[in-house]
Amino acid sequence: MPDLTTAIRGAFFDFLDDPWKYPGREHEAARFVGDGLLVVADGVIKAFGPYAEMAPRFPTVPVTHIQNRLILPGFIDGHIHFPQTRVLGAFGNQLLDWLQNWIFPEEIKYADRDYARAAAGNFFDALLAGGTTTCQAFTTSSPVSTEEFFEEAGRRGMRTIAGLTGIDRFAPPEFLNTPEQFYTETKRLIATYHRKGRHLYAITPRFAVGCTDEMMDTCARLKREHPDCWINTHISENPTEVRQARQEFPDCRDYTAVHEKHGLLGPKFTAGHGVWLSNDEFRRFARAGAGVCFCPLSNLFLGSGLFRLGRATDPDARVRVSLGCDMGGGNAFSMIRVLEEAYKVGMCNNTMLDGSVDPRWQDTAEAERNKLGPYRAFYLATLGGAHALYLDDVLGNFQPGKEADFVALDWNAGQHAMAWHQSLIAGDGGPGTIDQAAMLLFGVMACGDDRNVDETWVAGKRAYKKKAV
Ligand code: GUN
Ligand code: ZN
């Protein structure tokens, strides 16, 4: 038997709890091990702790020493579109026009296997270069795109959630699938991929505007027949879209009720955006154990609006929140840039010139919970995202038994003069304390990007190394 055990030595930073539970002392939710050892066997963490304690227990295990980096659990992206890899950064329209003008014409191409396969290579390269090791992804209405997504994820050994997209209206006819087709193809794809290797399957109604009652019923039936599967969709992203969804489902009192009516809102359900959810809808998400994915790059790029993270994190009705880049609505793959934009959204309180405040933003406790310091931010990108997606039994931190996906961040490697900038924040010597580490991480999210991602490891193996410049 080959010895598949390996170990990584370095400075580790992860989370054991939700920092929103520790207002003003968020560091109590985090853990910093300045000189640690992570022991990995067959892609799974076998032991983790200070190097001085671990090294004598594993004297024969080969050690890779990653120096001058902060090692974090791999980033988890709760909402991204594989078939939009080539159209990110499209000029000029808000959501519904953007879908018609840019997105559907591009996604139609993914019925072609060669095109989808080439795209999958580019997609996963870009994710890993940004430090993202897990994503929940949309594919298209063609099963070819779903197959090529999972095949490429499998070649890279990555844990992903994805599924065929159901859309039976509001797109060019050649892009639509009927509920019957969607049912048959989804059943086949679940049988082929769900829980094979690291693949997980999400039943995926694209959004209420694009799904008839029959399509939503089909999703409900699939969830009843496969209760272990995830559900992935969009909700309340853009005001015009919300109005249109309300017109399409006049019997539903709000957007969330569309999913309630069809029995979909519950554990393992994620809806992207949720910018325009009411307080009552947030409460119903919390009660149901459903997740919302905050996509600030996209919400700003498509002009959708400002997500109320502080409302979603109300301790009396805490919603599971992941972060997503929503590429191509989001104009980058980078979770570091997602954190930057999420921070900026949290800084807005929508005060008008006359001193009045948008009623949605009047609650000062909510405004405080919107503020995204480094602990809250990197929690959402790691353990929080895993929790929101019901993956925290296998991902999200360095606890033994979890899968060994991680990212090594170079806090000095972002834009010009970043090292000099960072030395003002945390001194020259590298992080000695958890707060110094957090300060450096804040520097990374405020001023950094993919350039700060030096290495990305998947299941205990290095999957990406930044090229020397
Ligand atoms: N709503 C329905 N489809 C999409 C999509 O592709 N991107 C975004 N941002 N919203 C959607
Ligand atoms: Zn989306």
Side-chain angles (χ1 to χ4, degrees):
M1 278 287 282
D3 181 7
L4 298 175
T5 307
T6 184
I8 296 88
R9 181 178 181 185
F12 292 84
F13 188 103
D14 71 348
F15 292 88
L16 297 173
D17 204 353
D18 172 4
W20 270 274
K21 290 186 195 162
Y22 304 83
R25 48 190 180 92
E26 281 84 1
H27 64 272
E28 289 181 26
R31 168 170 64 174
F32 174 61
V33 182
D35 184 14
L37 192 71
L38 186 81
V39 183
V40 178
D42 295 323
V44 173
I45 297 167
K46 205 167 150 183
F48 173 63
Y51 178 80
E53 286 171 28
M54 290 290 129
R57 284 178 51 196
F58 300 94
T60 60
V61 176
V63 175
T64 304
H65 196 174
I66 300 179
Q67 288 173 289
N68 299 317
R69 305 284 179 261
L70 275 168
I71 303 173
L72 272 70
F75 298 144
I76 295 174
D77 189 324
H79 185 113
I80 188 168
H81 292 260
F82 156 53
Q84 296 174 13
T85 300
R86 214 173 173 191
V87 276
L88 83 169
F91 173 74
N93 309 109
Q94 287 204 350
L95 177 66
L96 297 183
D97 292 333
W98 168 83
L99 284 170
Q100 299 292 350
N101 294 340
W102 292 99
I103 297 306
F104 296 140
E106 174 64 14
E107 293 199 9
I108 284 171
K109 298 177 192 166
Y110 283 65
D112 179 310
R113 193 168 295 282
D114 291 338
Y115 194 82
R117 187 168 299 168
N122 284 309
F123 175 83
F124 284 105
D125 282 350
L127 278 184
L128 291 169
T132 301
T133 48
T134 281
C135 67
Q136 174 166 251
F138 289 80
T139 63
T140 73
S141 50
S142 162
V144 169
S145 68
T146 316
E147 289 160 2
E148 291 306 318
F149 175 92
F150 278 130
E151 294 299 326
E152 186 65 32
R155 283 190 283 277
R156 295 168 190 248
M158 292 169 68
R159 184 165 287 288
T160 55
I161 308 173
L164 181 74
T165 302
I167 180 165
D168 63 343
R169 65 178 172 203
F170 190 74
E174 65 271 38
F175 191 67
L176 301 177
N177 41 21
T178 64
E180 295 73 31
Q181 275 172 336
F182 179 69
Y183 177 78
T184 310
E185 286 163 353
T186 298
K187 296 283 280 188
R188 181 177 64 75
L189 289 165
I190 290 173
T192 310
Y193 292 109
H194 184 56
R195 292 210 184 272
K196 302 291 158 56
R198 299 183 80 191
H199 306 315
L200 299 169
Y201 200 89
I203 299 158
T204 308
R206 188 165 189 142
F207 66 151
V209 169
C211 296
T212 61
D213 245 324
E214 293 70 40
M215 181 60 90
M216 298 300 284
D217 278 339
T218 303
C219 292
R221 180 177 172 199
L222 285 162
K223 177 68 179 173
R224 279 196 305 277
E225 292 173 359
H226 301 276
D228 184 46
C229 283
W230 276 249
I231 299 175
N232 188 24
T233 190
H234 296 85
I235 203 165
S236 291
E237 176 175 358
N238 166 290
T240 314
E241 175 230 7
V242 177
R243 276 196 297 276
Q244 196 156 327
R246 298 291 307 279
Q247 277 164 19
E248 301 286 6
F249 291 92
D251 55 331
C252 294
R253 67 184 156 122
D254 54 31
Y255 207 141
T256 300
V258 175
H259 297 289
E260 289 169 330
K261 173 185 169 189
H262 295 93
L264 298 177
L265 198 79
K268 292 186 174 176
F269 170 102
T270 307
H273 306 282
V275 171
W276 300 99
L277 291 174
S278 66
N279 291 358
D280 188 56
E281 287 176 289
F282 274 115
R283 275 193 291 274
R284 280 145 59 205
F285 264 70
R287 224 179 292 135
V292 67
C293 186
F294 178 17
C295 304
L297 276 171
S298 169
N299 295 344
L300 298 175
F301 191 77
L302 295 179
S304 301
L306 306 178
F307 179 71
R308 298 164 67 202
L309 182 61
R311 173 54 46 193
T313 52
D314 179 351
D316 296 329
R318 177 72 157 91
V319 179
R320 292 173 184 248
V321 182
S322 58
L323 290 172
C325 71
D326 190 33
M327 185 284 306
N331 54 320
F333 281 76
S334 166
M335 290 298 282
I336 292 173
R337 294 209 33 213
V338 168
L339 295 180
E340 173 196 349
E341 301 291 291
Y343 173 77
K344 290 176 181 171
V345 170
M347 291 298 285
C348 296
N349 63 12
N350 283 16
T351 306
M352 309 299 172
L353 277 180
D354 67 1
S356 67
V357 176
D358 176 336
R360 299 195 321 154
W361 294 73
Q362 277 168 359
D363 178 337
T364 52
E366 177 175 336
E368 192 287 321
R369 291 192 300 266
N370 264 328
K371 267 245 172 111
L372 206 62
Y375 293 106
R376 290 174 173 180
F378 283 91
Y379 168 76
L380 287 182
T382 59
L383 184 63
H387 178 70
L389 297 178
Y390 287 80
L391 293 175
D392 49 326
D393 55 335
V394 288
L395 293 177
N397 61 18
F398 297 121
Q399 291 295 77
K402 296 215 184 179
E403 296 166 352
D405 297 342
F406 56 89
V407 56
L409 297 177
D410 179 352
W411 58 84
N412 285 333
Q415 51 193 294
H416 182 69
M418 185 137 178
W420 195 51
H421 162 86
Q422 288 282 48
S423 69
L424 177 70
I425 299 175
D428 286 321
T433 65
I434 192 165
D435 277 335
Q436 279 177 347
M439 297 274 268
L440 289 171
L441 288 173
F442 189 71
V444 168
M445 68 182 252
C447 309
D449 51 36
D450 284 5
R451 287 171 291 187
N452 295 92
V453 175
D454 191 40
E455 301 185 11
T456 307
W457 290 56
V458 172
K461 295 203 182 87
R462 196 166 73 180
Y464 168 78
K465 169 75 186 164
K466 193 174 112 173
K467 289 195 183 67
V469 280

